[in-house]
Amino acid sequence: MSSTSTLPPQASQPPLRLTEPRLIHAFILLVTSGLTVLVTAILGPSLPAMQAHFRDVPGADYLVPLTMTAPMLMMACLSVFAGELSDRLGRKRLLVVSTVLYAAVGTAPLYLESLGAIIASRFALGILEAVLMTVSTTMIGDYYSGTRRERFMSLQTTVSATSAFLLNTVGGVIAEHGWRAPYAVFACSLLLAPLMVIYLWEPKGRSSMTPEQYAQDSRSFRAGMLAFNCALTVPLGMMFLTVPVHFGYLHGAIGVQSPAQIGIAYGINSLGVITGTLLFGWVLASRLKVPFQLTIGALIAGVGFVLMQSATDYTLLTVAGLVNGLGAGILLPTMVTWNMRDLPVSRRGLGTGAFQSCFCLGMFVNPLLIVGMEKHLEIARAHAIGLVGQVMLGLAVVALLVGLLRRGR
């Protein structure tokens, strides 16, 4: 009798455990998804020294920054396939293997001599980041539901923003020891792999379903809704990368050249993002429907962009960054949880990967669009960012009207 109570049948284990995830499970998955910020946060301060090292390589001015953008491009192209693979093969094994390889590939520039080989390793890293981000996010959706899921989805952005805030500072300190030194930080994923093996379990999904169960579960999959969410996610990605890429240029345009001052402004923007994610998870998620969540997030983010366009001094520009960060912190978990909520278990990896691909595509396109408007249309960068703000304000109006119409019905 005791053996029956302590050792339930194998088939019944996942449903029982899915209701009992503890803090350690959330910690592992949230930190895993936060690994993707290493590419931009830890390496940025070392790029000038790296460019000086490879100054004799033809096209180094374009190739060195590619070490940061190459992983983002791969995530845009491959996240959807990583999600589909996790649906077909299962999630835990794919996550553990990718985490170990992430350390090996991420630290490769410590000993690679050729700039071409380093860039190739960054493309390979992007493949692994597509798996890590997609599968860890999907598993949060597998392990949690309802309000708990939405809170942990908001914490995912909180962890990423906090990591970026801390790593920007740490990256500068580490870069004092040479441009290769920051790449050693990628080995930290080796600390996560054993924790995954010990604590995570394979959630019930398509890989464990019979053909009949898969057909039954797939009936609730709405491809059109996923396509609509993904279409909205591209401009969301563009919006989310606007401050990280262009905020420093806006400071330079108003005469602020101090790296310390600009760094503080970036930090305040990150604090805005963190505050927005917490506001979503603990206030908005349980009280407002999605259209009104989108309305608030888009409105605040749009106002922040418009304020950036008109800011004429450091204080106003910093406040604008704080306002925009608050809106961005609300918008991202709103879209992630909305997308996750409508996905059946058997298609959850695919849907999460599709969302991640579109989000990264938007981030990759952002500098091309903004700089293109500046160079070819002769629109000042501040005005181009103001146009992004007007688009966000338009989205807020549309979302509000949709919400009011639904409430009327």
Side-chain angles (χ1 to χ4, degrees), residues 79 83 341-342 363 369:
S79 291
R341 193 180 300 128
D342 289 328
M363 290 197 293
L369 180 64

Side-chain angles (χ1 to χ4, degrees), residues 50-66 115:
M50 184 181 184
Q51 191 156 318
H53 179 83
F54 289 108
R55 59 183 176 273
D56 295 330
V57 176
D61 291 347
Y62 297 95
L63 293 176
V64 169
L66 190 59
L115 180 57

